[in-house]
Amino acid sequence: HRDLHSFPTRRSSDLHMGSVAVPELPGLPAWKPVARVVDQWVNSTSSAALALDAPLINLTFAAFLLALAVLILVTLRTSAARQTWRPVVVQGERCLIAPNAGPSAVGLFRGTIVLPEWALHLKRESLRLILAHEREHLRGGDPRMLLAGLLILVLLPWNLPLWWQWRRLRRAIELDCDARVLQQTGALRPYTELLLAVGGRQMELAGMAGLAARSDLRHRLMAMTAPAPSRRQGGTLVLACNVLVLAGLALMLSGVMCAWCKPLSLVALS
C-alpha cells in the first residue's frame, strides 16, 4: 500500500481552498462530468438568488409601508368615531354607545367597553352576559395582546403563515374568554343563543368579510359543547410537531449539502 502522501498534489492557490493541498485520488476523474454539473447548478442558483435580492427587499419595504399606512388610517378613523360615541353606565359598568360598533373592549391601559345601540334593547340577562364577556377581555389584557400581534403583522406583512397565526390568536382569545365567562355564570344555553344573535348581526354588517367571523363562531360553539380532547387528538398533535421538526431538519440538510457540493466540485474539476 502506497502512502496517501505519495500521490501528487496541486498547490492550494490553484484550487482556491485555503492553505490545504488536496490530493488527486485515483478514480476521481470519472466524477468530473457530475461535479461540473453540480458546479454549474450551484453557480446559477447563487446568481439567481443575488439577482432577486434587490427586488425582494424593495417589495418587502413597500408591503411594510402599505400595512403601516392602513394601520394609521384605521386608528385615525376609530379615534374620530370614538369622539361621537356617548358614555353611559349600564348595569354599573361605564360603557360607550356606538351606532354600529361593538360589542368590543378597547383601550390599552384604561380599557372601555363599547356597546352598539341595539344592545341596549336586549334582555337584562343577555346584556349581563355581554358585559361579562367584554369585562373578561379587559381583565385578561386581550386588547394589548391583539395590538402586539398586529404590530408584528405590520412589520412582516409578507409572511403568510404569520397571518394564519394572527387569526388563530384571535380565535384562541375568544375561546379562552368564553371559557372564563361560562365558568363564572354557568349559563351555557343563554350564552350560546346570545353568541348566535350577536354574531348574526355582526356578520350582516361585515358582508363578505363576515365569512371568517362565521368560521370563528362555529369553532367557538363547538368548543363550548364538545367533549374534552381525547388521546387520539393528542397523538395527532405530536405527529404534526414531528413532521414540522423533520421538515426543518430537511431544510437544514439541504443547505449543508449545497455548501458541501461547491468544494467537491472544485476538487473534481482540478
Side-chain angles (χ1 to χ4, degrees):
H1 300 284
R2 291 186 298 173
D3 186 37
L4 181 64
H5 296 285
S6 63
F7 292 114
T9 61
R10 297 198 177 194
R11 292 178 303 173
S12 60
S13 58
D14 295 334
L15 294 176
H16 306 284
M17 295 187 62
S19 59
V20 179
V22 180
E24 293 182 351
L25 300 178
L28 193 59
W31 291 92
K32 283 188 176 182
V34 178
R36 186 175 292 106
V37 172
V38 171
D39 182 68
Q40 293 175 356
W41 176 78
V42 171
N43 289 333
S44 61
T45 303
S46 302
S47 301
L50 290 176
L52 289 175
D53 278 350
L56 287 178
I57 292 175
N58 294 334
L59 184 61
T60 301
F61 188 66
F64 163 72
L65 292 180
L66 179 60
L68 182 62
V70 171
L71 177 62
I72 293 175
L73 179 61
V74 171
T75 302
L76 293 177
R77 293 185 61 180
T78 304
S79 299
R82 187 171 179 175
Q83 301 300 321
T84 63
W85 299 344
R86 72 178 193 272
V88 297
V89 178
V90 181
Q91 296 186 8
E93 191 78 32
R94 291 186 177 183
C95 305
L96 293 176
I97 304 301
N100 294 316
S104 61
V106 298
L108 297 179
F109 303 104
R110 298 178 60 183
T112 306
I113 296 176
V114 179
L115 294 176
E117 193 77 38
W118 52 263
L120 299 178
H121 305 287
L122 295 174
K123 296 180 180 179
R124 181 177 179 83
E125 178 65 17
S126 299
L127 190 55
R128 184 181 70 86
L129 290 175
I130 289 179
L131 293 175
H133 181 90
E134 303 305 332
R135 195 182 299 117
E136 285 300 320
H137 276 314
L138 294 177
R139 185 176 296 133
D142 294 339
R144 292 189 293 272
M145 186 178 300
L146 288 174
L147 178 62
L150 189 60
L151 291 178
I152 295 176
L153 277 181
V154 171
L155 291 175
L156 303 171
W158 47 266
N159 194 326
L160 296 181
L162 198 59
W163 286 90
W164 176 70
Q165 289 290 348
W166 159 253
R167 183 181 174 185
R168 288 186 62 86
L169 172 64
R170 294 181 58 183
R171 182 185 299 172
I173 287 176
E174 293 298 335
L175 290 174
D176 180 66
C177 189
D178 292 338
R180 284 180 282 161
V181 172
L182 290 177
Q183 186 178 7
Q184 292 179 5
T185 62
L188 177 60
R189 184 179 181 85
Y191 190 72
T192 54
E193 293 177 352
L194 178 64
L195 283 182
L196 288 173
V198 174
R201 284 181 175 269
Q202 291 178 338
M203 283 184 284
E204 288 179 2
L205 295 174
M208 291 298 296
L211 294 178
R214 183 179 304 174
S215 175
D216 292 339
L217 179 60
R218 184 177 68 252
H219 280 85
R220 292 171 66 182
L221 294 174
M222 291 175 59
M224 285 186 287
T225 58
S230 62
R231 289 187 177 182
R232 182 177 180 181
Q233 291 175 334
T236 303
L237 180 61
V238 172
L239 178 60
C241 293
N242 290 334
V243 169
L244 291 177
V245 171
L246 291 176
L249 290 176
L251 291 175
M252 293 174 59
L253 288 176
S254 64
V256 172
M257 291 297 295
C258 182
W260 175 79
C261 286
K262 184 69 175 179
L264 176 64
S265 60
L266 289 173
V267 174
L269 291 172
S270 60

